[in-house]
């Protein structure tokens, strides 16, 4: 990068300072914003037309962390994207925005004009709803939104069509799906789920990541010594399920158990979405479950894990209190979601109440290091929707090698559910119902940051979709899209947001 190009790329605060000085001299400033993963003729024309509105052109771009447009996106990292934008003679300054919208940068920069393409002019056609927020931000600092009118191209369509993001099998699948379900119809289906009244029941887990840097082998022991650097706490287990459900459904209640000795209640409340109403019960014989993982910094590679927990059944007194509550409330919900991690909360007595009272019941019974072979989904006498992974399906069937379709159908018949869906990692998912038969859906992600929490996110979206009576093939597609976004998030740092899901789906269908 030459010095002239390098000097154009500045931190936003430095840009804001320079813009202020420029405006004092009576010059007008224009700001454009986007991802700019591939700069094409449409962008060049947009920049040239925007520059005509003023004297100085600032182009801001979204930082890598906030780009959620599909697998492997952005193709180019933020440093490369900023460099090729700065190399354009029409561009005067380039800044990287560490947020998912330009709203805060507009308030900081205070441009005279904010230039957008014609496809943003009709606000109701903006699936993210962010252009209205950005326009308000521009007006609040005395600026104006202008719309350039010229030929338009889709970067996502170019990437999907020409850069081999997906194998041909996946491309054909997406092209066929787009013919059955236009993006507008999919958005309407997802938005229809807001009306559902949902109850989430399950184990609370606090996930801790203790980041460290390997130093080398100990001179006295056969182990690698690591230097501690920092730590992070996440709301996991049923808390993560509830947070993901809350991003797609309007009203979410939560029933869970905390430890009385060290409840972590203040932390938990601070991490729950605002539309979640929790009901906590307290287990007197232990602390709230903590799963502490030691993770190599930057590489996100787990070294080992320590669990602080009791996984025997909850004491009878607490069980009776929870049973009385569930007897009263379970039947009031459109959808009851059970996230069963097999850590002693969901006893046979509670399961029987839930199965007897729930109008629509979705169940996920997880296999983990504490319960291998003991926490099978088949312990539920009924469910409308069952969501498990391939290993859990094989455990439930006591069958290691048979065809997965055969096993899914057997468990489906045993429980008597309406739909069963099994996640298969990089192989996508398999869904079955007697009415619709089998649907195999490919995976859409090949860049995995962290798989922990992805299954919870998948389940949290699939369950409302089935309860909302969305078509089985569409539900499978939405679930895999959610999973592809979730594996790009560290643990349960944040839920999958509906707006990001819709943007992702929009890009996926531009094949």
């Amino acid at each position: 990068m030459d010095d002239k190009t390098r000097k154009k790329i500045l931190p936003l605060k430095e840009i804001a300072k320079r813009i202020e000085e420029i405006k004092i001299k009576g010059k007008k400033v224009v700001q454009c914003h986007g991802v700019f993963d591939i700069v094409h003729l449409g962008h060049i024309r947009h920049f040239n037309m925007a520059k005509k509105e003023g004297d100085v052109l600032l182009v801001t771009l979204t930082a890598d962390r906030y780009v959620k447009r599909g697998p492997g996106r952005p193709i180019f990292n933020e440093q490369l994207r900023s460099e090729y934008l700065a190399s354009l003679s029409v561009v005067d300054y380039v800044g990287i925005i560490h947020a998912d919208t330009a709203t805060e940068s507009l308030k900081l920069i205070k441009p005279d004009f904010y230039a957008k393409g014609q496809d943003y002019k009709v606000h109701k056609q903006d699936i993210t709803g962010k252009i209205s927020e950005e326009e308000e931000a521009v007006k609040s600092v005395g600026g104006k939104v202008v719309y350039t009118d010229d030929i338009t191209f889709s970067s996502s369509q170019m990437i999907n069509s020409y850069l081999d993001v997906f194998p041909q099998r996946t491309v054909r699948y997406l092209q066929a799906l787009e013919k059955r379900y236009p993006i507008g119809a999919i958005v309407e289906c997802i938005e229809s789920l807001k009306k559902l009244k949902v109850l989430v029941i399950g184990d609370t887990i606090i996930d801790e990541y203790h980041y460290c840097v390997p130093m080398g082998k100990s001179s006295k022991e056969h182990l690698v010594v690591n230097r501690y650097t920092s730590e992070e706490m996440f709301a996991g287990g049923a808390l993560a399920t509830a947070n993901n459900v809350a991003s797609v459904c309007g009203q979410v209640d939560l029933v869970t158990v905390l430890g009385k000795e060290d409840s972590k209640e203040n932390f938990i409340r601070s991490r729950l979405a605002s539309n979640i109403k929790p009901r906590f019960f307290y287990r007197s014989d232990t602390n709230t479950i903590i799963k502490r993982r030691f993770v190599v910094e930057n590489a996100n590679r787990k070294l080992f894990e320590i669990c602080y927990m009791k996984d025997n059944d909850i004491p009878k007194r607490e069980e009776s209190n929870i049973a009385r509550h569930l007897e009263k409330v379970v039947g009031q919900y459109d959808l009851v979601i059970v996230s069963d991690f097999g850590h002693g909360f969901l006893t046979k007595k509670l399961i029987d109440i839930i199965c007897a009272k729930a109008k629509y019941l979705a169940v996920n019974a997880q296999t983990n290091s504490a319960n291998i072979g003991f926490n099978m989904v088949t312990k539920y006498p009924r469910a409308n929707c069952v969501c498990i992974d391939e290993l859990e399906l094989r455990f439930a069937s006591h069958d290691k090698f048979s065809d997965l379709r055969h096993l899914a159908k057997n468990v489906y018949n045993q429980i008597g559910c309406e739909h069963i869906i099994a996640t298969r990692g990089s192989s996508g998912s398999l869904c079955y119902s007697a009415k619709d038969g089998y649907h195999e859906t490919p995976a859409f992600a090949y860049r995995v940051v962290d798989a922990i929490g992805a299954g919870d996110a998948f389940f949290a979206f699939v369950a409302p979709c089935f309860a909302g009576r969305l078509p089985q093939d569409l539900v499978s597609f939405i679930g895999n899209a959610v999973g592809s976004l979730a594996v790009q998030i560290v643990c349960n740092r944040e839920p999958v947001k509906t707006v990001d899901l819709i943007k992702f789906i929009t890009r996926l269908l531009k094949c």
Side-chain angles (χ1 to χ4, degrees):
M1 189 191 320
D2 59 36
D3 286 343
K4 184 178 180 181
T5 299
R6 185 180 294 107
K7 288 178 181 178
K8 290 184 182 181
I9 306 169
L10 298 169
L12 285 184
K13 288 185 178 179
E14 177 63 26
I15 291 174
K17 183 179 178 181
R18 295 199 182 190
I19 294 300
E20 186 177 0
E21 295 170 353
I22 288 168
K23 292 175 74 173
I24 289 174
K25 297 177 181 178
K27 294 184 178 182
K28 299 294 183 181
V29 176
V30 186
Q31 181 175 346
C32 296
H33 176 73
V35 173
F36 306 117
D37 208 357
I38 290 183
V39 175
H40 49 66
L41 179 59
H43 290 135
I44 302 301
R45 291 187 174 186
H46 173 61
F47 295 152
N48 282 315
M49 293 185 73
K51 183 72 173 279
K52 291 179 181 178
E53 298 288 341
D55 305 292
V56 174
L57 178 63
L58 160 66
V59 179
T60 52
L61 58 123
T62 306
D64 295 346
R65 176 182 170 185
Y66 298 92
V67 177
K68 296 175 181 176
R69 293 195 169 192
R73 301 288 300 274
I75 298 293
F76 299 102
N77 64 41
E78 60 200 48
Q79 285 76 29
L80 291 174
R81 289 184 286 131
S82 60
E83 181 178 342
Y84 58 61
L85 287 169
S87 68
L88 300 173
S89 60
V90 70
V91 176
D92 297 294
Y93 294 104
V94 174
I96 299 171
I97 293 179
H98 294 273
D100 54 7
T101 74
T103 303
E104 294 305 315
S105 75
L106 291 166
K107 293 177 182 178
L108 176 67
I109 301 297
K110 300 181 178 64
D112 297 284
F113 301 100
Y114 181 48
K116 299 295 287 184
Q118 274 295 312
D119 47 344
Y120 288 94
K121 192 168 187 178
V122 181
H123 288 195
K124 65 181 181 181
Q125 293 180 1
D126 173 29
I127 58 173
T128 69
K130 298 300 182 182
I131 184 61
S132 296
E133 293 180 13
E134 292 175 346
E135 184 167 31
E136 288 178 13
V138 174
K139 290 180 178 178
S140 73
V141 295
K144 178 184 178 183
V145 177
V146 294
Y147 298 93
T148 60
D149 187 8
D150 207 326
I151 185 171
T152 60
F153 300 88
S154 167
S155 298
S156 294
Q157 194 164 30
M158 290 180 179
I159 290 169
N160 290 349
S161 298
Y162 302 114
L163 295 187
D164 295 325
V165 172
F166 302 112
Q168 279 302 305
R169 173 177 171 269
T170 304
V171 171
R172 290 193 295 269
Y173 166 87
L174 291 169
Q175 289 172 341
L177 189 93
E178 196 274 335
K179 291 178 181 178
R180 296 197 301 276
Y181 304 107
I183 184 61
I186 296 175
V187 171
E188 287 181 11
C189 286
I190 294 172
E191 289 181 344
S192 71
L193 304 177
K194 290 179 182 177
K195 64 186 178 184
L196 293 177
K197 183 181 179 182
V198 182
L199 174 64
V200 176
I201 306 171
D203 304 272
T204 283
I205 298 171
I206 303 298
D207 291 304
E208 292 184 356
Y209 276 21
H210 288 239
Y211 299 104
C212 51
V213 176
M215 293 166 52
K217 182 184 177 298
S218 168
S219 60
K220 298 181 177 64
E221 303 286 348
H222 294 292
L223 56 85
V224 175
V225 179
N226 292 268
R227 176 172 56 83
Y228 167 87
T229 58
S230 62
E231 61 191 73
E232 194 171 3
M233 290 173 64
F234 310 98
L239 307 178
T241 303
N243 276 329
N244 279 289
V245 174
S247 70
V248 71
C249 297
Q251 179 182 346
V252 180
D253 290 353
L254 170 66
V255 173
T256 189
V257 171
L258 309 182
K260 203 165 188 177
E261 294 178 11
D262 184 13
S263 69
K264 306 291 186 187
E265 185 172 337
N266 290 337
F267 168 79
I268 290 166
R269 288 187 181 276
S270 72
R271 293 301 189 274
L272 290 177
S274 59
N275 58 325
I276 296 175
K277 181 180 177 182
R279 175 63 187 272
F280 298 128
F281 291 87
Y282 302 88
R283 183 170 178 166
S284 58
D285 60 339
T286 188
N287 54 273
T288 293
I289 296 170
I290 296 174
K291 295 186 177 180
R292 180 174 295 167
R293 298 175 179 89
F294 292 81
V295 184
V296 177
E297 191 174 51
N298 299 324
N300 205 44
R301 187 173 69 252
K302 282 79 174 176
L303 298 173
F304 63 98
E305 176 179 333
I306 299 174
C307 293
Y308 299 82
M309 62 187 292
K310 278 191 177 180
D311 57 353
N312 57 307
D313 284 354
I314 56 175
K316 292 296 182 183
R317 182 176 177 181
E318 281 83 359
E319 181 189 48
S320 297
N321 291 336
I322 298 168
R324 283 193 294 272
H325 178 71
L326 293 179
E327 286 271 9
K328 292 177 184 177
V329 306
V330 167
Q332 300 173 9
Y333 296 89
D334 302 310
L335 167 63
V336 176
I337 294 177
V338 174
S339 285
D340 185 347
F341 290 81
H343 296 328
F345 168 31
L346 287 152
T347 63
K348 183 179 185 306
K349 180 178 180 178
L350 300 184
I351 288 172
D352 287 344
I353 292 170
I354 294 166
C355 291
K357 296 286 185 178
K359 295 176 185 175
Y360 191 98
L361 176 60
V363 175
N364 172 238
Q366 291 201 16
T367 289
N368 53 55
S369 58
N371 65 33
I372 291 177
F374 295 99
N375 195 47
M376 301 296 96
V377 72
T378 47
K379 71 183 184 181
Y380 286 83
R382 69 159 280 258
N384 299 85
C385 164
V386 167
C387 179
I388 51 181
D389 66 25
E390 180 174 352
L391 181 61
E392 290 157 355
L393 181 56
R394 293 193 178 280
F395 276 142
S397 306
H398 309 289
D399 192 322
K400 188 176 181 180
F401 299 111
S402 293
D403 180 72
L404 205 64
R405 288 185 169 216
H406 172 70
L407 302 184
K409 188 173 183 178
N410 281 350
V411 173
Y412 172 93
N413 290 330
Q414 185 175 344
I415 298 175
C417 53
E418 296 175 19
H419 298 91
I420 184 168
I421 187 163
T423 57
R424 307 178 65 195
S426 60
S427 297
S429 65
L430 171 70
C431 191
Y432 173 76
S433 73
K435 178 183 175 183
D436 300 308
Y438 296 97
H439 278 104
E440 291 191 47
T441 306
F444 307 124
Y446 55 78
R447 181 174 69 92
V448 177
V449 174
D450 194 350
I452 292 177
D456 300 323
F458 180 97
F459 176 48
F461 276 77
V462 162
C465 286
F466 277 132
R469 305 300 175 183
L470 272 59
Q472 179 173 283
D473 57 342
L474 179 57
V475 176
S476 298
F477 167 68
I478 291 172
N480 281 24
V482 169
S484 297
L485 287 172
V487 297
Q488 297 179 51
I489 300 170
V490 173
C491 196
N492 294 298
R493 183 178 283 163
E494 60 180 288
V496 173
K497 299 172 184 175
T498 303
V499 64
D500 292 329
L501 172 63
I502 293 172
K503 287 195 292 186
F504 186 10
I505 288 173
T506 301
R507 271 65 185 187
L508 284 175
L509 297 182
K510 287 183 177 179
C511 279

